[in-house]
Amino acid sequence: MTRSFPAGFRWGTATAAYQIEGSTTADGRGPSIWDTFTARTGRVLDDATGDPACDHYRRYREDVALLSELGVPYYRFSVAWSRVMPDGRTIEPRGLAFYDRLVDTLLEHGVTPMVTLYHWDLPEALQAEGGWPNRDLAGLFADYAATVHKALGDRVRQWTTINEPFCAAFIGYGNGDHAPGLRDEGAALVAGHNLMLAHGQAAQVLRANGGEQEVSIVLNFAPVLTDVDDAAHREAARKFDFLHNRFFLDPLLGRGYPPELLADLAHLGTLEAAIADGDLEIIAQPLDVLGVNYYAPARAVPLDDPEADSNCPLPGLRGMDVTPPRGDLTSLGWEQRPESFTDLLLWLHGHCPGLPLVIAENGAAFVDEVVDGRVRDTDRVRYFAEHLAAVHTAIERGADIRGYMAWSLLDNFEWAMGYTQRFGIVHVDFETQERVLKDSALFYADVVARNGLP
Ligand code: FCB
């Protein structure tokens, strides 16, 4: 039996600028916080950096040809702010020209471009002004959005403002595992709010600039599980759920920050103080679709001491811990649980009435090897098959899901894990830059061609 997806379902692959482009000083590009972060010893595994990554800046034609060979019709990529505006403000035409060529090349190959304006690579010059905890960045981001839209808006219809503000704010400024590597929970909350404000102002600008564009934001979600169904466990799960799944979502929906969440975080003393009059209206711009990233569920337990710090990216969430994943894990140690994906999509469908969903990222890292010119990544094929079936089930049960972007087109620079985690459906040899289609690429191409699961 074939499980067919709705007609017009958007199939794609996704990447992000810093993870694939390399050429970090070419054509006037300025440093981003990820260049600075990776230059410090001990921050990223093996002290890897985003140069040359997949050398995509120079090999983009080859990569677009791969997309066309696979017959995957949508491609989600991000624009590097520090290429387009090296100091965060001044336009560098050569940087902008790269994305112009990329968009044209995609269109020539029949691939529809989907642009993400911010996938974590803030110009270092703006970090020097305080980074996301500085409210001025919202307006600067809107100016940047206007610049990119002016250059590409005649050909690009799908616009995402920000990818995963949770990670940008809480992992970047909270536990410091990502750039800029700061550990200041109070500042992290303000960064989160300012990222939302930046989204809202950019969304306004994108709409004001006219055109037929679709505006979205991409959030990462993790359904929270507990082993025991009692009040203490439910409360531990609630805390993490509100931080992870609702901090960013509820304000977008015009509901503001959930009061319970504000209470959980009140002792840090910064979030409510950062919300100025009118901010919540700006954040709640109408969205055409919501981008959903799903990889794995989380598991929560209560701590005996309700005042004890949490092990989550914001220790000040207090009184709860996230426990180790279990069952089948990916090489990154993430739990494989497709039923949580279905649960998430159905929950989102109910929580966001009338808002269509697009899966903006889903995929898995495994250890892959090229043997006789082939990569038999059966684990990844199974991951995709099970998670696509989970999406299909959610659609059957009524969720309005318009598309699915596989993470990722290429093995790439996986942030703090460097090059040790391969998420691609295309294998990249980082010595020679040779690309080899993995079995998962062939599997995915087949799913796309039949618009369904075999
Ligand atoms: C997401 C990021 C993406 C990639 C995947 C594995 O959180 O958006 O860049 O690193 O995880």
Side-chain angles (χ1 to χ4, degrees):
M1 200 191 79
T2 308
R3 283 166 163 256
S4 295
F5 283 78
F9 194 77
R10 298 176 188 168
W11 294 103
T13 58
T15 61
Y18 191 73
Q19 294 183 275
I20 63 166
E21 286 180 357
S23 300
T24 53
T25 54
D27 296 334
R29 181 185 175 285
S32 79
I33 54 174
W34 273 94
D35 296 296
T36 322
F37 186 71
T38 55
R40 288 186 224 144
T41 358
R43 288 311 186 103
V44 168
L45 226 56
D46 304 331
D47 286 332
T49 77
D51 221 344
C54 307
D55 197 21
H56 172 79
Y57 190 72
R58 298 191 303 168
R59 294 170 194 262
Y60 71 95
R61 286 184 192 281
E62 186 190 329
D63 293 334
V64 173
L66 275 177
L67 284 172
S68 143
E69 184 184 331
L70 289 172
V72 180
Y74 286 84
Y75 177 57
R76 172 178 177 236
F77 64 94
S78 80
V79 172
W81 191 347
S82 60
R83 245 185 232 297
V84 169
M85 296 173 153
D87 61 0
R89 292 182 167 87
T90 321
I91 299 173
E92 168 51 79
R94 290 173 295 170
L96 210 44
F98 168 68
Y99 298 105
D100 197 63
R101 291 195 298 276
L102 175 60
V103 165
D104 279 345
T105 310
L106 286 164
L107 291 170
E108 279 158 23
H109 284 80
V111 179
T112 304
M114 305 170 86
V115 167
T116 297
L117 287 164
Y118 187 74
H119 201 123
W120 306 354
D121 43 359
L122 185 71
E124 180 59 39
L126 298 183
Q127 183 55 40
E129 293 177 31
W132 285 112
N134 174 1
R135 195 181 159 88
D136 294 345
L137 262 65
L140 292 170
F141 181 69
D143 293 345
Y144 156 67
T147 301
V148 181
H149 186 265
K150 197 167 159 219
L152 309 178
D154 57 335
R155 286 152 293 153
V156 175
R157 232 193 119 218
Q158 269 103 23
W159 292 85
T160 292
T161 53
I162 290 168
N163 178 74
E164 299 190 353
F166 178 94
C167 298
F170 301 153
I171 306 183
Y173 296 84
N175 70 6
D177 285 351
H178 280 181
L182 301 177
R183 288 174 187 232
D184 180 341
E185 299 179 71
L189 295 176
V190 179
H193 178 68
N194 290 340
L195 279 155
M196 296 308 285
L197 205 55
H199 156 79
Q201 294 196 22
Q204 287 177 325
V205 158
L206 292 173
R207 297 231 192 261
N209 281 9
E212 285 288 287
Q213 70 276 19
E214 218 176 74
V215 177
S216 69
I217 184 169
V218 169
L219 303 183
N220 53 310
F221 295 99
V224 192
L225 307 169
T226 55
D227 283 338
V228 182
D229 188 23
D230 64 14
H233 282 77
R234 277 197 296 275
E235 174 61 1
R238 199 250 344 124
K239 281 188 184 167
F240 191 70
D241 179 44
F242 274 52
L243 181 75
H244 202 109
N245 301 318
R246 294 182 53 186
F247 184 106
F248 300 97
L249 181 58
D250 283 21
L252 289 167
L253 301 172
R255 299 178 196 156
Y257 297 98
E260 299 91 324
L261 178 67
L262 289 175
D264 294 338
L265 303 173
H267 65 101
L268 295 171
T270 55
L271 179 56
E272 281 182 273
I275 310 171
D277 277 355
D279 283 4
L280 293 172
E281 287 71 29
I282 293 172
I283 293 170
Q285 295 306 303
L287 292 170
D288 297 301
V289 292
L290 174 69
V292 177
N293 289 357
Y294 171 81
Y295 289 94
R299 294 179 177 273
V301 284
L303 297 174
D304 292 337
D305 175 1
E307 305 277 286
D309 275 357
S310 162
N311 65 356
C312 85
L314 272 189
L317 190 62
R318 284 182 172 174
M320 65 81 50
D321 260 356
V322 173
T323 57
R326 63 178 73 136
D328 288 339
L329 306 185
T330 69
S331 63
L332 204 42
W334 292 355
E335 182 165 340
Q336 301 181 55
R337 199 165 183 279
E339 54 271 44
S340 284
F341 199 6
T342 306
D343 293 345
L344 167 69
L345 294 168
L346 291 172
W347 176 75
L348 284 171
H349 178 63
H351 195 71
C352 320
L355 182 58
L357 311 174
V358 167
I359 314 306
E361 286 178 30
N362 175 239
F366 292 105
V367 178
D368 300 317
E369 246 191 316
V370 185
V371 179
D372 298 331
R374 245 184 107 170
V375 181
R376 295 176 197 270
D377 56 338
T378 42
D379 286 337
R380 189 174 292 97
V381 170
R382 187 176 33 77
Y383 182 96
F384 278 123
E386 290 177 357
H387 285 75
L388 285 167
V391 174
H392 190 267
T393 303
I395 295 174
E396 275 179 338
R397 298 197 190 149
D400 182 4
I401 303 167
R402 303 284 172 92
Y404 177 96
M405 309 294 131
W407 184 270
S408 178
L409 173 65
L410 303 167
D411 290 337
N412 58 44
F413 173 81
E414 177 46 37
W415 308 114
M417 306 308 289
Y419 296 96
T420 64
Q421 301 297 322
R422 294 180 176 272
F423 272 93
I425 58 172
V426 176
H427 186 274
V428 177
D429 178 326
F430 293 107
E431 298 292 315
T432 63
Q433 292 296 340
E434 195 193 343
R435 275 74 162 140
V436 173
L437 298 185
K438 301 182 192 177
D439 282 2
S440 55
L442 306 176
F443 167 79
Y444 191 53
D446 181 52
V447 169
V448 173
R450 58 170 97 214
N451 194 37
L453 283 168

